[in-house]
Structures are given as C-alpha cells and as structure tokens.
Amino acid sequence: MGDGGKRESADVGRGALLSVSGLRVRYGSFEAVRGVSFSLAEGEILGIVGESGSGKSTVARALVGLAAPSAGTVERAPDAAMQMIFQDATGSLNPRMTVRQTLAEALACGRGGAGTRPADTPEGLLSLVGLSEAVLGQYPREMSGGQCQRISVARALACGPKVLIADEPVSALDVSVQARVLNLLRDLRRGLGLSILLIAHDLAVVKNVCDRICVMERGVFVDEGPAEEVFAAPRSDYTRRLLAAVPDVARELSAAR
C-alpha cells in the first residue's frame, strides 16, 4: 500500500506514536478487519468500541503481533515501546507465581528496552497502580479481579512503554471496580505521559476516559471523532443503538476518583 504507507510515515513524523493504514486481517475465508486506518497521538487515549465479533480485539492483536495482517501497514515511532493489557487479568497471570515474582520477572525482561521505566522495583510498580506491598506474597487466586487487573497494568509498565493497548480491561469487573481501573488508566496517562488504545464493547466505558472514539461494526469503522462529538451527534444507526443500549457510568467514574 504505497500511498497509505507514505501517509502513515508522515503521521508518525507529525507526532503520532502509532499509525495504522488500511489494516486487514483474515482468518481463512472470514475477513475480521476490513481496511481500518487510525493514528494514536502522544498522550492520547483512543477508544475502539464495538460489540463482540466487530473486529476490535483483532485490531489490538494485530498491533502486537498476535494476529497477522493480510494487508495494510502498521508503523510506530522508533522509541514507542508498546505493551498489552488483556481482558482476563487473572488468566493472563501465572497462577504459580506470586505478585513479587511476576513483577520481578517483568522488570528483568524489560532491561535494555527502548522505554524509560517508571519504577525499578516491584514495590515501585505497585505504588504506581495504587496497591500496597501487602499483596507481594499473594498468588492471583488470592486476589480480586480488580487487583489482578492492576497487577497486569503494573507488569505492562515494567519495561517503560509509551503505548498501552488495553483489550477489554474492565469487562469482567463490576461497575464500581470498572470505574477505578479506568480512572487508574487516565491517571497513568497524565502522570507518565502514556498513550492508550482502549478496546471496549460499550460506549459507557469510554465516555469519560477517551479523547477520541472509533466505533467498529463488522470489521470497519462506522463512526469516529472526538468523544464529545460521537456522543452528541452519532453518524451511524449502529452507534445510536450502542448509546441507547448501555448504562451511563459517569457517576461511578466521578465517585471513584
């Protein structure tokens, strides 16, 4: 994709840490992602929202090399180290390792990476995500879902990424815990200068967190723009259905600060 590649490189040069052009991902005869393009600016939180099967998680997987694009280009700034936070926080943690072991391993693996690490010890990483040192000796099965997700975030921060890709990070949590985790991501953006790609299945999750939103249906973007514009004047019937079908978590987000 010659023209797309040139445009993508120009986007990165203008300050985008991540730029995607014409991305397609195919599983056999099924095309899960059908030519999406977007960029992620430094310090921005971009939301990709869609129902199950819309292709949003496939986009995330393609960005970190867990799914192979069939077409299109993905480019990131040279120093933009990228880490992923998964939906199933408990399942993504090694059940045989304590929190201390998990974070120490992540710190060891992160040595020599492109990023500047925000903390050099497990204790320091826990402080960043609002957990006490009391959990250092615990195993994932001994912690709540919200605690496990915070540990997953801490592990992702160990190598000093500039970009976090959060794939449905709160979908398995109740609303009040969702709000706390989302506020944590927002605080990390502000405190560490992170850029975050937030994948979610409903618009309520991203309403007060994201700067821009892309709404995805059947592998393509059907709505995109600044968050306030998408909520105030949705362009597609699909976006309007999503807005009508989900609860508003704004009150919970404010209460959890």
Side-chain angles (χ1 to χ4, degrees), residues 68-257:
S70 55
T73 52
V74 176
E75 188 170 316
R76 65 185 184 189
D79 61 344
M82 196 159 50
Q83 286 291 310
M84 189 164 180
I85 304 165
F86 295 93
Q87 176 179 355
D88 181 6
T90 303
S92 72
L93 298 173
N94 189 328
R96 298 182 180 180
M97 294 176 68
T98 64
V99 170
R100 183 186 295 278
Q101 291 170 328
T102 294
L103 297 182
E105 180 183 65
L107 286 166
C109 291
R111 291 196 183 105
T116 300
R117 294 188 304 187
D120 291 315
T121 63
E123 292 83 357
L125 290 172
L126 287 181
S127 177
L128 287 172
V129 299
L131 289 176
S132 75
E133 297 177 15
V135 303
L136 282 169
Q138 294 183 335
Y139 293 90
R141 64 180 179 275
E142 298 173 318
M143 297 183 293
S144 69
Q147 287 176 316
C148 285
Q149 194 56 278
R150 286 175 184 262
I151 296 301
S152 295
V153 174
R155 179 179 61 181
L157 294 175
C159 71
K162 284 195 172 182
V163 176
L164 279 183
I165 298 177
D167 185 14
E168 297 270 17
V170 299
S171 63
L173 308 176
D174 65 43
V175 173
S176 62
V177 180
Q178 283 184 19
R180 295 188 187 101
V181 172
L182 291 170
N183 278 325
L184 169 64
L185 293 177
R186 185 164 52 188
D187 290 344
L188 289 171
R189 183 267 292 268
R190 181 169 54 247
L192 300 179
L194 294 174
S195 299
I196 300 173
L197 180 65
L198 178 59
I199 310 293
H201 67 265
D202 68 60
L203 283 163
V205 166
V206 302
K207 182 175 183 180
N208 295 294
V209 179
C210 293
D211 303 299
R212 290 189 298 125
I213 295 172
C214 298
V215 180
M216 195 168 190
E217 181 186 21
R218 298 179 182 177
V220 299
F221 291 160
V222 296
D223 236 323
E224 55 186 299
E228 62 273 15
E229 291 183 13
V230 172
F231 277 86
R235 297 198 301 260
S236 75
D237 289 338
Y238 180 73
T239 305
R240 284 188 282 271
R241 290 199 303 271
L242 287 181
L243 286 170
V246 298
D248 187 352
V249 296
R251 192 177 308 143
E252 294 286 352
L253 281 166
S254 298
R257 290 178 188 172

